């Protein structure tokens, strides 16, 4: 059993500013090291687990040794990390057991239908899961006229914007769920913005795709419009996906039914997720894993980096909760664009967590009596935030998810999709080519328009 995680915290203790340095350093390394010359990049790829874990342990050791109730904060953070990695890891493993093979080619309209389906699916199996399952079928559908823009729009729509409705969809939203945002709350708040943003992106894609489609000979156009043949393997893994989703809800069900008082303390949801992943991996034929080129490399990288991120971001979150009101952020658009700007070049999960705490501090400054009454109860404070300033949570959520598509390093699936495409012979744009040719002229105006219209 996990000890009581929410009973006490380090609230009221002034955090030394230098303790935020490991968090800033780790985020800087994650953003910059993949872009360095080969020798430096090889050093990072070899030793990033040691660097990430080392920085995390440095902060954790300081908390335990010098902060009142620091050990409780470390255990609380470790619990959040474990829940986070169980969800992300189990979705990754189960998605790797589903193979979709396509014989044929798609027209621009069929491509749009596929992207719409993929965007919806990303809310159920995550942007990482949807990207891993669907990127290869997407390339097979268009293999005779595959162009870098096919991959870039897939990153925009499937690897990022599509997963903005549920905590399963994108890692930052799951952090909000762990902090008390109800599972279906965001769907009811942002579905119009989500539909409009996706609609504009798919409209631009359709125009571009149709333009290129019209350039190919008429005989080939007729051939490409013939009926596609689809073959699905490993579809029994859908049952394991449902099992993972049930694991997310299981603690709430057990508590509401009066079966367990604090099911989170017993990790019941995480146990279900791990069981689903293990069963899927064991049962799935090796042939399917081979066809998907499945390996644990991507989730290993996420696991080590996020272990460091979760521990090193504790002081940053604490500082924001203590001094956030002095930042002068009062409008939703300020949260949207600032969260989005940082999510473009840094990992969007810790960015979300930081500005979520800043929003909470802003709400607490406006309603000090209400927030003082709930004390250290994290989920009760989140409930007050949703009650008093829901627009701030919406802004942080959309900014962290949508702007993750601005660069290759804005969200984990981006680089994985790029690597898969390049291994298949697609000449992808460089880091700055991606930004200058696609993100700035296409994606950014759509996100700016949505921000001012809806926020």
């Amino acid at each position: 059993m996990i000890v009581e995680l929410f009973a006490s915290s380090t609230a009221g203790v002034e955090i030394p500013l230098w303790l935020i340095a490991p968090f800033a350093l780790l985020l800087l390394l994650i953003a910059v090291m993949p872009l360095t010359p080969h020798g430096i990049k090889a050093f990072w790829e070899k030793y990033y687990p040691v660097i990430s874990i080392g920085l995390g342990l440095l902060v954790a050791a300081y908390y335990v040794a010098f902060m009142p109730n620091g050990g409780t904060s470390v255990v609380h953070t470790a619990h959040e990390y474990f829940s986070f990695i169980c969800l992300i890891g189990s979705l990754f493993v189960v998605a790797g057991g589903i193979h979709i093979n396509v014989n044929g080619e798609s027209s621009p309209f069929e491509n749009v239908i596929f992207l719409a389906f993929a965007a919806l699916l990303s809310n159920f199996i995550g942007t990482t899961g949807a990207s891993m399952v669907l990127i290869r079928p997407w390339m097979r559908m268009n293999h005779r006229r595959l162009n870098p823009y096919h991959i870039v729009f897939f990153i925009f729509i499937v690897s990022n914007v599509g997963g903005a409705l549920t905590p399963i969809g994108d890692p930052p939203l799951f952090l909000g769920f762990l902090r008390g945002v109800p599972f279906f709350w965001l769907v009811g708040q942002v579905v119009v913005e989500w539909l409009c943003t996706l609609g504009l992106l798919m409209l631009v894609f359709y125009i571009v795709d149709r333009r290129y489609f019209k350039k190919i000979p008429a005989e080939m156009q007729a051939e490409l419009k013939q009926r596609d043949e689809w073959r699905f393997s490993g579809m029994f893994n859908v049952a394991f996906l449902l099992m993972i989703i049930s694991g997310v809800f299981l603690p709430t069900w057990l508590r509401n039914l009066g079966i367990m008082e604090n099911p989170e303390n017993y990790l019941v949801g995480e146990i279900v997720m791990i069981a689903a992943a293990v069963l899927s991996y064991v049962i799935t034929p090796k042939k399917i894993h081979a066809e998907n080129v499945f390996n644990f490399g991507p989730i290993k990288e996420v696991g080590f980096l996020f272990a460091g991120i979760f521990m090193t971001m504790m002081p940053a979150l604490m500082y924001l909760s203590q001094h956030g009101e002095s930042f002068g952020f009062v409008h939703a658009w300020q949260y949207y664009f600032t969260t989005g700007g940082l999510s473009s070049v840094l990992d969007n999960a810790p960015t979300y967590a930081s500005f979520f705490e800043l929003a909470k501090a802003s709400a607490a400054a406006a309603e000090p009596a209400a927030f003082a009454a709930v004390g250290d109860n994290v989920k009760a404070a989140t409930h007050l935030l949703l009650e008093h300033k829901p627009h701030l949570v919406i802004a942080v959520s959309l900014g962290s998810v949508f702007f993750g598509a601005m660069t290759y390093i804005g969200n984990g699936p981006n680089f994985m999709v790029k690597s898969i495409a390049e291994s298949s012979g697609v000449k992808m744009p460089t880091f700055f080519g991606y930004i200058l040719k696609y993100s700035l002229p296409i994606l950014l105006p759509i996100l700016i328009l949505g921000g001012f219209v809806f926020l």
Side-chain angles (χ1 to χ4, degrees):
M1 175 178 175
I2 301 289
V3 297
E4 282 295 322
L5 298 174
F6 306 107
S8 60
S9 73
T10 55
V13 179
E14 189 66 29
I15 194 76
L17 276 177
W18 67 263
L19 201 57
I20 300 175
F23 178 57
L25 176 60
L26 183 55
L27 292 184
L28 181 64
L29 290 172
I30 292 171
V32 172
M33 294 305 281
L35 313 176
T36 55
H38 177 72
I40 301 175
K41 181 180 178 182
F43 176 85
W44 167 252
E45 290 174 348
K46 183 176 181 180
Y47 291 107
Y48 75 85
V50 177
I51 296 171
S52 179
I53 298 296
L55 290 172
L57 289 176
L58 175 67
V59 173
Y62 183 91
Y63 263 68
V64 172
F66 300 107
M67 302 286 285
N69 298 318
T72 301
S73 293
V74 171
V75 172
H76 182 186
T77 301
H79 180 268
E80 280 198 343
Y81 167 75
F82 186 68
S83 299
F84 169 83
I85 205 64
C86 281
L87 175 64
I88 300 302
S90 59
L91 288 171
F92 176 81
V93 171
V94 174
I98 300 174
H99 180 73
I100 304 173
N101 188 45
V102 186
N103 291 320
E105 288 279 341
S106 288
S107 67
F109 179 73
E110 289 173 323
N111 278 338
V112 169
I113 296 300
F114 181 92
L115 289 175
F117 165 77
L120 184 62
L121 183 65
S122 66
N123 290 288
F124 297 95
I125 64 174
T127 52
T128 300
S131 297
M132 294 302 293
V133 169
L134 298 175
I135 183 56
R136 291 181 180 87
W138 174 247
M139 291 191 296
R140 293 187 195 107
M141 288 167 56
N142 297 281
H143 75 278
R144 294 179 65 180
R145 58 186 191 92
L146 191 59
N147 190 292
Y149 73 82
H150 285 101
I151 310 301
V152 171
F153 275 92
F154 185 93
I155 291 174
F156 286 173
I157 293 170
V158 183
S159 302
N160 291 275
V161 175
L165 295 183
T166 72
I168 293 176
D170 217 29
L173 304 184
F174 190 66
L175 294 184
F177 175 72
L178 294 176
R179 284 166 166 75
V181 178
F183 191 92
F184 292 109
W185 182 83
L186 198 59
V187 178
Q189 302 292 326
V190 306
V191 67
V192 176
E193 294 95 314
W194 180 78
L195 286 171
C196 289
T197 304
L198 280 178
L200 289 173
L201 282 172
M202 287 190 284
L203 175 61
V204 175
F205 169 79
Y206 179 78
I207 293 171
V208 173
D209 199 32
R210 184 171 175 79
R211 177 189 169 197
Y212 277 89
F213 187 78
K214 287 294 185 182
K215 290 182 178 181
I216 64 178
E219 303 80 29
M220 187 176 174
Q221 289 186 34
E223 183 182 345
L224 297 183
K225 290 178 180 178
Q226 292 178 3
R227 189 175 185 85
D228 298 333
E229 295 179 7
W230 293 71
R231 181 173 61 84
F232 300 86
S233 304
M235 293 307 292
F236 57 84
N237 279 294
V238 172
F240 293 123
L241 289 176
L242 295 175
M243 186 174 171
I244 293 170
I245 295 171
S246 71
V248 174
F249 292 102
L250 187 58
T252 302
W253 291 339
L254 293 175
R255 189 186 309 105
N256 291 343
L257 292 173
I259 298 174
M260 297 179 70
E261 185 175 347
N262 294 300
E264 295 91 349
N265 292 354
Y266 296 90
L267 305 176
V268 291
E270 291 81 354
I271 290 172
V272 170
M273 295 176 194
I274 293 172
V278 171
L279 289 171
S280 170
Y281 185 75
V282 171
I283 295 174
T284 299
K286 288 183 172 54
K287 179 183 177 182
I288 294 178
H289 283 148
E291 289 175 332
N292 282 333
V293 197
F294 176 85
N295 63 76
F296 287 98
I299 199 62
K300 170 192 168 188
E301 182 177 13
V302 170
F304 279 119
L305 290 177
F306 273 84
I309 286 171
F310 268 73
M311 283 298 168
T312 57
M313 75 179 178
M314 288 192 300
L317 298 182
M318 183 176 172
Y319 183 84
L320 282 173
S321 68
Q322 293 174 341
H323 304 282
E325 65 276 4
S326 65
F327 284 34
F329 280 24
V330 294
H331 301 294
W333 63 266
Q334 293 174 305
Y335 284 86
Y336 176 73
F337 287 113
T338 307
T339 305
L342 291 175
S343 294
S344 299
V345 292
L346 301 173
D347 195 277
N348 57 6
T351 304
Y352 172 96
S354 300
F355 282 88
F356 185 89
E357 293 301 317
L358 182 58
K360 194 180 291 184
S362 174
E367 299 285 344
F371 278 82
V374 302
D376 296 332
N377 190 316
V378 175
K379 294 190 176 182
T382 296
H383 176 75
L384 287 175
L385 171 61
L386 299 180
E387 189 176 279
H388 291 286
K389 296 199 173 184
H391 56 292
L392 300 187
V393 180
I394 293 170
V396 172
S397 301
L398 294 182
S400 62
V401 175
F402 286 178
F403 282 82
M406 285 293 296
T407 71
Y408 284 134
I409 59 176
N411 199 13
N414 301 4
F415 242 124
M416 288 194 289
V417 168
K418 173 180 178 287
S419 299
I420 292 171
E422 288 178 331
S423 67
S424 300
V426 181
K427 190 176 181 180
M428 291 296 293
T430 64
F431 179 83
F432 292 107
Y434 175 95
I435 296 172
L436 296 174
K437 188 174 181 180
Y438 295 101
S439 297
L440 291 181
I442 297 173
L443 179 63
L444 186 59
I446 292 174
L447 299 185
I448 290 175
L449 177 65
F452 281 111
V453 168
F454 294 106
L455 298 173

